[in-house]
Amino acid sequence: MSASAESVDTDSGGGEVTRELTDGFHLVIDALKLNGIETIYGVPGIPITDLGRLAQAEGMRVISFRHEQNAGNAAAIAGYLTQKPGICLTVSAPGFLNGLTALANATTNCFPMILISGSSEREIVDLQQGDYEEMDQLAIAKPLCKAAYRVLHANDIGIGVARAIRAACSGRPGGVYLDLPAQLLAQTLDAEAGWMSLVEVVDPAPRQIPAPDAIARAVEVLSSSERPLIILGKGAAYAQADEDIRMLVERSGFPYLPMSMAKGLLPDTHAQSAGPARSLVLRDSDTVLMIGARLNWLLSHGKGRGWGDAPKRFVQIDIEPREMDSNVEIAAPIVGDIGSCVSMLYDAMGDGWSGPSREWIDAVNARKLANLARMAPRLQNNNVPMDFHGALGALRTVVREHPDAILVNEGANTLDFARSIIDMYQPRKRLDVGTWGVMGIGMGFAVAAAIETGKPVLAVEGDSAFGFSGMEIETICRYDLPVCVVVFNNNGIYRGTDVNPTGGPDAATTVFVKDSRYDRMMEAFGGVGVYATTPDELSRATKAAMDSGRPTLINAVIDEKAGTESGRIGNLNPQSVVSRP
Ligand code: ADP
Ligand code: MG
């Protein structure tokens, strides 16, 4: 417990007694620490500057960023990695709004996170009298997150923090907003009473045991399938039920497809991995077991492009009942936490489980081997300037040699190619653009991954994607984090070859300054900058960075003609067919 001040009272006998006082600042810090939260990601300023200072003084790790969105992304991914809500701390109005994108993104991705923002006084905000950075932040946050709370009295801070933690972690995890008006932080309270008002959250994410009849129904559906498939999503990775999931997959004998952030939950080299036969298993499977994955746009809603014409039956494991039937009929819904659901399903399948037919396994394996063989020579090409395959072939080997490193990945082509080319070997090692396919997560994720895990981080970034959070390389240098950023520099968005159709002096809308030297940005802050033009140079520089742990930025020169429009989701980018004279 931290007491901030002392006050002098007069006791009933007329003598003086000294009472210890605490205040809103210290109660917020004590409440977080009492619940095992040791790190805050944020940007200092009015009215929370002292909150950050005092938190650091009380032994918390306080990581200051250059922009709130990056601090918010860091908090979100810290939540994903640890199952404890990541904390993002911002100033009022503009800082709060900057953090809000990350909060909404966390909610969309089911990451537990709490955005704590200072705010102006209610009396002035509610009468709209024009306070410094006046904004009704609670009302604005509410539709964009899972829950939003405001605390007005210091003796409610304990309850406010407890509610925020429970809302973020329980059921389907998500983002929570906690509004702390400036005057609350300065309110004082008797230290003993303040301490007593704090709440230690017991079992913030209670297990949710599925109904036995739901398990029996699922076993019936699965046992009657001929061409079964498992799809593992990032909910399965989040659940930290790695061993239970491996046992279920191996007992079932089903081929499985990992969604992007579920790669490595089982190693991508696992015999049952159907990653390299993705289009075949989606099209030809007759029964699909979804584990912590949603049938959203990333899976063509379970019925669109790529799913084939024959009807399929779905079994779905999810903690959120309303996820069922969201896009297609779910023949056997299993509602509960993944650890419980998966281990009960494993038991119900029993020792004598016979697995899928030989023909199905052979068909999947044949396609897998053919695709891998077709890809192998492309990954070893030494073209200069590099293409995506040559450069990613080099990084693929580095990741194989450092399986505990964390891969952060964003971009368009840089994302799509890296996702399929770079194999992952351990759970929760691949962090990327997630459900929204959002750009800008890169440096925030990289910082938090390094802070939370202590492992080396490799951030593979398109040059455009990097620009959204690039200033945070100063943060990486300031905290001396083991982060190696590789910028795939192809001079622009998708490609670097567009020209202004009018022939006028303005650059085309999708291109950047040609041959930019992103490596020199890193040098400006004392990190290591490398300019790499060949797969060999890229490989050597990346290995050196992973071994040294020094902040490094490698500018990888990629052929500006190499990319495709919107990477693999060009179909989502409407194109005009109208030609004007
Ligand atoms: P992906 O993009 O990899 O398919 P999604 O984020 O779309 O993954 O889906 C994750 C799903 O996992 C969500 O529907 C979420 O409700 C669910 N989920 C998250 N954590 C758990 C858990 N511990 N137990 C069960 N389901 C979970
Ligand atoms: Mg680019």
Side-chain angles (χ1 to χ4, degrees):
M1 176 174 55
S2 49
S4 61
E6 291 193 334
S7 77
V8 179
D9 276 4
T10 309
D11 71 12
S12 49
E16 284 189 343
V17 287
T18 305
R19 280 198 305 132
E20 271 196 303
L21 285 186
T22 188
D23 61 15
F25 289 110
H26 288 86
L27 286 169
V28 171
I29 295 161
D30 290 344
L32 293 172
K33 288 177 67 178
L34 180 65
N35 285 289
I37 294 171
E38 297 291 342
T39 307
I40 293 176
Y41 300 93
V43 177
I46 296 171
I48 49 87
T49 315
D50 258 358
L51 185 55
R53 278 196 192 111
L54 292 165
Q56 189 173 53
E58 296 288 333
M60 293 188 80
R61 194 110 199 249
V62 183
I63 308 296
S64 291
F65 284 72
R66 305 299 293 261
H67 189 287
E68 291 87 354
Q69 190 176 123
N70 306 318
N73 285 323
I77 210 66
Y80 170 74
L81 290 168
T82 64
Q83 296 183 327
K84 278 186 204 161
I87 305 295
C88 175
L89 181 63
T90 81
V91 304
S92 34
F96 155 79
L97 288 172
N98 287 343
L100 208 49
T101 306
L103 186 71
N105 189 51
T107 307
T108 297
N109 281 282
C110 317
F111 300 156
M113 153 180 186
I114 304 174
L115 174 67
I116 301 180
S117 297
S119 62
S120 309
E121 296 325 311
R122 296 308 315 159
E123 296 83 344
I124 304 178
V125 173
D126 289 348
L127 274 171
Q128 299 172 35
Q129 293 173 310
D131 203 356
Y132 168 73
E133 297 192 347
E134 173 182 301
M135 175 173 276
D136 189 357
Q137 295 170 196
L138 187 74
I140 289 164
K142 234 175 222 169
L144 298 173
C145 58
K146 196 176 163 192
Y149 306 106
R150 175 185 293 128
V151 182
L152 289 176
H153 303 292
N155 55 5
D156 284 332
I157 286 173
I159 286 289
V161 169
R163 297 209 75 186
I165 291 171
R166 200 174 276 287
C169 297
S170 60
R172 170 181 279 176
V176 175
Y177 175 59
L178 189 61
D179 192 79
L180 304 182
Q183 289 309 315
L184 169 81
L185 296 169
Q187 277 177 31
T188 56
L189 203 67
D190 173 74
E192 187 62 26
W195 181 250
M196 297 304 289
S197 73
L198 299 183
V199 176
E200 186 172 358
V201 181
V202 177
D203 195 10
R207 295 172 65 204
Q208 296 189 28
I209 314 292
D213 54 320
I215 297 287
R217 192 186 297 116
V219 170
E220 198 172 311
V221 171
L222 295 175
S223 61
S224 64
S225 69
E226 282 170 16
R227 297 181 304 283
L229 170 67
I230 293 174
I231 295 182
L232 299 171
K234 64 172 137 34
Y238 172 79
Q240 298 193 16
D242 310 333
E243 192 52 22
D244 289 328
I245 291 170
R246 186 189 62 75
M247 283 165 59
L248 176 75
V249 169
E250 292 184 349
R251 171 168 282 182
S252 76
F254 298 174
Y256 72 89
L257 212 51
M259 298 299 288
S260 188
M261 281 176 61
K263 276 168 68 77
L265 184 45
L266 286 85
D268 280 333
T269 47
H270 193 282
Q272 285 167 257
S273 164
R278 180 185 165 90
S279 48
L280 177 129
V281 291
L282 286 180
R283 191 191 63 206
D284 292 346
S285 56
D286 65 358
T287 305
V288 184
L289 168 58
M290 309 283 301
I291 307 181
R294 285 174 288 189
L295 288 165
N296 54 20
W297 71 280
L298 288 160
L299 284 169
S300 307
H301 306 280
K303 58 194 169 194
R305 268 163 46 113
W307 280 96
D309 298 327
K312 289 186 205 300
R313 297 214 289 170
F314 286 91
V315 177
Q316 183 161 23
I317 296 177
D318 205 290
I319 203 156
E320 170 59 63
R322 288 176 302 172
E323 186 56 37
M324 306 300 162
D325 307 321
S326 60
N327 286 271
V328 295
E329 179 184 294
I330 302 300
I334 308 179
V335 175
D337 71 275
I338 283 170
S340 302
C341 294
V342 162
S343 61
M344 281 176 69
L345 194 54
Y346 173 85
D347 289 342
M349 286 163 82
D351 283 337
W353 183 260
S354 62
S357 69
R358 198 67 249 167
E359 297 88 85
W360 176 232
I361 300 298
D362 288 347
V364 175
N365 285 341
R367 173 66 69 92
K368 195 172 141 177
L369 289 177
N371 282 347
L372 289 174
R374 198 160 48 90
M375 187 64 96
R378 299 183 67 188
L379 299 179
Q380 277 158 24
N381 87 66
N382 278 311
N383 295 342
V384 175
M386 291 184 277
D387 60 22
F388 286 94
H389 288 86
L392 288 166
L395 296 183
R396 174 185 212 256
T397 308
V398 177
V399 171
R400 185 167 63 220
E401 290 165 0
H402 294 84
D404 63 339
I406 293 183
L407 179 70
V408 173
N409 188 200
E410 62 178 333
N413 293 280
T414 306
L415 175 86
D416 288 336
F417 286 119
R419 185 174 48 223
S420 54
I421 290 172
I422 299 182
D423 284 336
M424 304 306 298
Y425 302 89
Q426 296 176 12
R428 296 171 295 283
K429 297 297 188 188
R430 186 185 155 84
L431 311 175
D432 67 26
V433 301
T435 305
W436 269 346
V438 67
M439 294 297 119
I441 49 87
M443 297 305 102
F445 278 17
V447 168
I451 296 276
E452 299 291 337
T453 70
K455 304 287 185 200
V457 177
L458 176 63
V460 179
E461 301 270 314
D463 52 348
S464 161
F466 174 70
F468 287 79
S469 66
M471 190 65 201
E472 302 297 347
I473 59 176
E474 188 276 329
T475 309
I476 290 168
C477 289
R478 186 164 16 107
Y479 293 99
D480 194 21
L481 299 175
V483 174
C484 172
V485 183
V486 179
V487 176
F488 273 44
N489 187 356
N490 64 350
N491 296 341
I493 300 172
Y494 312 135
R495 313 156 61 85
T497 49
D498 273 10
V499 288
N500 181 339
T502 70
D506 283 350
T509 56
T510 57
V511 302
F512 299 139
V513 169
K514 294 221 187 272
D515 304 317
S516 296
R517 293 292 302 267
Y518 295 101
D519 49 313
R520 291 187 181 153
M521 288 174 66
M522 196 57 140
E523 287 172 352
F525 302 114
V528 179
V530 181
Y531 183 76
T533 56
T534 68
D536 198 43
E537 284 169 8
L538 175 58
S539 168
R540 265 184 286 130
T542 312
K543 281 181 188 164
M546 303 307 277
D547 293 337
S548 72
R550 291 198 57 199
T552 301
L553 192 151
I554 304 169
N555 183 106
V557 180
I558 304 291
D559 184 354
E560 66 173 9
K561 299 186 291 300
T564 63
E565 181 90 6
S566 305
R568 280 196 203 137
I569 52 175
N571 61 307
L572 299 180
N573 213 354
Q575 283 175 359
S576 170
V577 292
V578 176
S579 56
R580 292 262 176 78

